[in-house]
Amino acid sequence: MALLVANNLTKTYTSSGWFRRQLANGKGVYNLSFAIEEGACLGVLGESGAGKSTLGKIVLGLLPPDSGSITFNGVELYQSNRSLRKKWRRDIQVVFQESYSAMNPRMTIRDIIAEPLRNYERLSDREERHQVGELLEVMGLSTEDMLKRPKQMSGGQLQRVNIARAIALHPKLIVSDEPVSSLDVIIQKQILIHLKELKERNGLSYLFISHDEMAVHYLSDQIAFMENGSIVKTCFASNLLYLV
């Protein structure tokens, strides 16, 4: 059974017009259907305004669709009770594009990574420090970095911190919304390598949203091409050839 299944998802944005009419406004999604298998990555490729970020928000539970359904581990997300929603939020994590704005600049790196652990686990100070240190090392950072604040780290280091926070609770699915687009080419490659290693070692599934064809092809098992809010084509990444 697929880990996540979307069936005919539709979300349109509206704004008030003349005589209180509702006019379609914005970049919604229309009749999207797809599935993500356990341990697999679905890449969503499209230009700005194609509806990719709207799709990501729906999967994260931040934006209820107007119609259609989305199930995770066989449970319909937007019809589930409070207990199931809490588990869903634990099992689906996110890595955003802007690494700095995704964290509180006043918090230490330890506090940032430990935030989800504190929400869901009851760890001693020693256990928490140990787990944060391990997560930093997994992402190629030093345990000493946990005492730093975001302004003391580079953009690439901060994105690794964001990924460390996302995997802290051992989620089943990570939604990655343009996670490397703001980084230089060398750092992009390093982050993509880390994401692929996590996928292969931990059996993580990804919804990888990007406009970068090379990045999507590198990480994805299957690719969905979006235009104007709709998926116009899907194919296996192995069927596409790129010059590297």
Side-chain angles (χ1 to χ4, degrees):
M1 183 175 67
L3 179 67
L4 184 140
V5 178
N7 185 36
N8 292 323
L9 292 178
T10 293
K11 178 67 180 182
T12 57
Y13 298 94
T14 60
S15 62
S16 297
W18 292 103
F19 305 109
R20 299 183 179 179
R21 289 182 299 126
Q22 293 293 310
L23 304 178
N25 180 37
K27 305 172 181 66
V29 296
Y30 309 94
N31 298 318
L32 297 186
S33 295
F34 60 88
I36 302 176
E37 302 293 331
E38 289 191 30
C41 174
L42 174 66
V44 179
L45 188 62
E47 297 297 328
S48 177
K52 306 186 304 298
S53 292
T54 295
L55 171 58
K57 290 175 182 177
I58 292 173
V59 173
L60 288 167
L62 302 176
L63 190 66
D66 297 331
S67 61
S69 65
I70 184 162
T71 60
F72 182 74
N73 267 347
V75 178
E76 213 291 314
L77 296 185
Y78 286 95
Q79 300 298 323
S80 56
N81 58 36
R82 185 174 181 179
S83 176
L84 287 173
R85 279 177 175 267
K86 184 175 182 181
K87 186 177 187 303
W88 156 35
R89 291 191 179 98
R90 175 178 184 140
D91 287 340
I92 303 179
Q93 296 293 315
V94 62
V95 177
F96 290 111
Q97 174 181 356
E98 296 296 333
S99 55
Y100 188 81
S101 61
M103 57 184 69
N104 187 335
R106 297 182 179 181
M107 294 172 69
T108 65
I109 298 304
R110 173 183 172 175
D111 290 336
I112 290 166
I113 296 176
E115 189 173 19
L117 294 171
R118 293 170 185 172
N119 289 336
Y120 286 91
E121 305 283 356
R122 293 184 177 180
L123 302 177
S124 67
D125 181 77
R126 181 178 179 180
E127 289 170 332
E128 180 186 286
R129 187 167 61 250
H130 177 71
Q131 286 202 28
V132 171
E134 283 190 335
L135 288 164
L136 286 167
E137 290 179 345
V138 164
M139 293 309 303
L141 298 170
S142 168
T143 56
E144 297 176 356
D145 289 327
M146 72 173 72
L147 300 177
K148 296 179 180 178
R149 298 186 188 276
K151 67 180 181 180
Q152 296 173 281
M153 306 189 79
S154 68
Q157 289 173 322
L158 288 179
Q159 196 60 300
R160 295 185 193 194
V161 170
N162 276 324
I163 296 170
R165 176 174 58 184
I167 64 174
L169 293 172
H170 306 288
K172 297 180 182 298
L173 174 70
I174 292 181
V175 177
S176 299
D177 190 356
E178 301 279 9
V180 297
S181 63
S182 62
L183 306 173
D184 65 52
V185 175
I186 294 176
I187 303 301
Q188 282 186 17
K189 186 175 181 180
Q190 292 173 351
I191 296 296
L192 288 171
I193 289 172
H194 277 298
L195 289 172
K196 192 163 190 175
E197 288 177 346
L198 289 169
K199 173 177 174 287
E200 294 172 351
R201 182 171 63 243
N202 300 339
L204 272 173
S205 299
Y206 292 110
L207 177 64
F208 187 79
I209 298 168
S210 181
H211 66 274
D212 187 327
E213 294 184 10
M214 293 295 292
V216 169
H217 182 262
Y218 177 79
L219 192 62
S220 303
D221 300 286
Q222 195 170 15
I223 301 174
F225 296 84
M226 285 191 70
E227 290 181 9
N228 300 319
S230 298
I231 293 176
V232 296
K233 177 184 177 183
T234 59
C235 67
F236 290 103
S238 57
N239 293 340
L240 298 178
L241 296 178
Y242 288 94
L243 295 177
V244 180

